[in-house]
């Protein structure tokens, strides 16, 4: 009896594994297809100045609708592209799309667009060349691009090389921010050396404001530290008026979240730029 059970379990496990492999292979094949066709798309989420209520920037977020698979989340696509060695191709397409879009929006308002980067892009020797090429091809001022990197970046063995890469980026006038701040392992000593402009306070802290004492203390500590280091703080995932009020009261400069706006398709952005962006 127990032998039989064991066998069944084995068979179940086996078929589950191959099902997963099949799905992954299909996803892989579709991703290759999407990259070849240039079928990836971006949505743009407003970044709001908490003191003025004005739109001060946008964040580009990857969207992929596949005819066969439907909508596939970036949380699934990005790690897959990293595993398959496709992240550089994908990242270049994202940068190209953002620069092309910025060129179209320039006559409306000049607000920076933030692009999320995979740490693998920053480790590539081609990255700076790709970046320079995009900016010059679409004639984009470097100040209009912001790059968001996560703390997974901070691998001690690579600290020196990464610091040099960030300095090369920053010296071009491109803005840099640390995404999902507070969830990784960057040391404060290292953080102090980085040529960055802003920290993005992770949504996991923001969502429990202002009721939860622990998250209140963490948020205040991040805001205090950022002020001391001359960095701005952008709160992610603001969903309620109470969260926005708490953050404004404690001098958090910017916020993003469903309370202000969901990520928008590109054609919905001009309305926001006309109404909400400060006049240039
Ligand atoms: P992220 O950069 O931290 O982006 C914020 C995520 O939170 C986005 O999810 C956004 O849609 C979502 N979000 C924004 N406001 C709220 C809110 O009020 N409540 C909740 N519950 N969620 C909110 P999304 O678009 O699914 O992206 C997930 C992650 O995928 C991003 O996290 C980023 O790390 C990565 N990603 C997205 N686009 C790209 C890309 O072009 N390149 C790379 N390398 N990574 C990307
Ligand atoms: Mg981000
Ligand atoms: Mg984030
Ligand atoms: Mg996040």
């Amino acid at each position: 009896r127990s032998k039989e059970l064991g066998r069944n379990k084995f068979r179940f496990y086996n078929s589950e594994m191959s099902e997963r492999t099949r799905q992954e292979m299909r996803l892989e094949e579709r991703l290759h297809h999407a990259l070849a066709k240039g079928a990836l798309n971006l949505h743009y989420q407003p970044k709001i100045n908490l003191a003025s209520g004005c739109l001060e920037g946008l964040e580009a977020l990857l969207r992929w609708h596949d005819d066969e698979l439907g909508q596939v989340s970036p949380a699934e696509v990005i790690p897959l592209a990293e595993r398959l060695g496709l992240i550089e191709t994908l990242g270049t397409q994202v940068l190209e799309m953002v620069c092309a879009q910025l060129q179209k929006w320039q006559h409306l308002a000049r607000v920076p667009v933030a692009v999320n980067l995979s740490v693998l892009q920053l480790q590539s020797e081609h990255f700076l060349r790709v970046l320079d090429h995009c900016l010059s091809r679409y004639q984009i001022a470097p100040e209009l691009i912001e790059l968001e990197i996560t703390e997974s970046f901070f691998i001690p063995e690579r600290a020196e090389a990464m610091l040099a890469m960030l300095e090369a980026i920053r010296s071009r006038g491109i803005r840099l921010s640390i995404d999902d701040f507070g969830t990784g392992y960057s040391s404060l000593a290292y953080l102090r050396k980085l040529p960055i402009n802003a920290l993005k306070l992770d949504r996991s802290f923001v969502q429990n404001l202002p009721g939860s004492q622990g998250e209140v203390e963490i948020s205040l500590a991040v805001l205090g530290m950022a002020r001391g280091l001359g960095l701005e703080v952008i709160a992610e995932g603001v969903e309620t008026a109470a969260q926005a009020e708490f953050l404004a009261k404690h001098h958090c400069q910017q916020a993003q979240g469903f309370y202000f706006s969901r990520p928008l398709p590109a054609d919905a952005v001009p309305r926001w730029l006309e109404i909400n962006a400060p006049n240039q």
Side-chain angles (χ1 to χ4, degrees), residues 203-221:
R203 179 161 65 88
S204 59
F205 305 121
V206 173
Q207 72 187 357
N208 294 312
L209 296 177
S212 163
Q213 194 58 28
E215 276 76 10
V216 164
E217 293 303 334
I218 290 169
S219 302
L220 294 180

Side-chain angles (χ1 to χ4, degrees), residues 18-270:
S18 61
E19 176 61 24
R20 194 178 307 157
T21 313
R22 255 199 311 279
Q23 266 182 28
E24 175 135 343
M25 281 172 62
R26 187 143 165 263
L27 197 56
E28 173 175 349
E29 189 221 318
R30 298 304 297 166
L31 183 57
H32 272 286
H33 181 73
L35 288 169
K37 274 202 327 184
L40 300 178
N41 188 16
L42 295 173
H43 278 191
Y44 296 86
Q45 187 175 37
K47 293 185 173 182
I48 305 297
N49 180 303
L50 281 167
S52 68
C54 287
L55 178 136
E56 269 189 341
L58 295 158
E59 177 178 6
L61 293 159
L62 185 72
R63 294 292 178 267
W64 175 27
H65 179 86
D66 181 74
D67 293 339
E68 291 176 20
L69 304 169
Q71 198 72 28
V72 191
S73 150
E76 196 174 349
V77 182
I78 299 298
L80 179 74
E82 288 177 338
R83 277 202 302 282
L84 297 173
L86 296 171
I87 193 68
E88 281 188 64
T89 308
L90 186 153
T92 302
Q93 288 192 9
V94 168
L95 266 175
E96 286 262 348
M97 282 190 274
V98 165
C99 289
Q101 196 62 71
L102 267 167
Q103 194 183 44
K104 289 187 194 156
W105 287 336
Q106 282 201 71
H107 67 284
L108 295 171
R110 292 163 55 87
V111 297
V113 175
V115 177
N116 291 284
L117 288 190
S118 156
V119 64
L120 296 181
Q121 284 174 273
L122 284 161
Q123 286 166 13
S124 157
E125 51 178 326
H126 306 300
F127 182 70
L128 290 172
R129 201 153 36 80
V130 168
L131 194 59
D132 290 337
H133 178 78
C134 276
L135 293 177
S136 72
R137 176 168 173 200
Y138 296 96
Q139 298 179 301
I140 302 303
E143 300 75 32
L144 292 183
I145 295 285
E146 173 161 352
L147 299 177
E148 297 191 0
I149 57 185
T150 62
E151 287 176 272
S152 57
F153 187 101
F154 307 106
I155 303 156
E157 304 82 71
R158 295 218 185 84
E160 287 301 312
M162 280 298 165
L163 186 57
M165 177 55 115
L166 295 189
E167 271 160 0
I169 291 170
R170 192 63 204 111
S171 71
R172 285 161 165 75
I174 293 168
R175 293 172 51 85
L176 282 169
S177 56
I178 307 294
D179 209 346
D180 305 330
F181 184 74
T183 59
Y185 300 96
S186 60
S187 84
L188 298 181
Y190 186 51
L191 188 71
R192 201 167 74 84
K193 288 196 214 163
L194 298 177
I196 52 175
N197 304 89
L199 302 176
K200 297 192 73 174
L201 180 64
D202 190 63
R203 179 161 65 88
S204 59
F205 305 121
V206 173
Q207 72 187 357
N208 294 312
L209 296 177
S212 163
Q213 194 58 28
E215 276 76 10
V216 164
E217 293 303 334
I218 290 169
S219 302
L220 294 180
V222 170
L223 285 161
M225 182 189 69
R227 191 176 315 129
L229 295 175
L231 305 174
E232 294 199 340
V233 176
I234 303 162
E236 310 185 311
V238 174
E239 292 182 355
T240 68
Q243 290 164 356
E245 276 158 27
F246 174 90
L247 290 158
K249 186 172 129 200
H250 292 97
H251 311 292
C252 178
Q253 285 84 8
Q254 286 185 1
Q256 277 178 289
F258 298 166
Y259 175 65
F260 299 103
S261 172
R262 291 190 172 256
L264 304 165
D267 61 12
V269 171

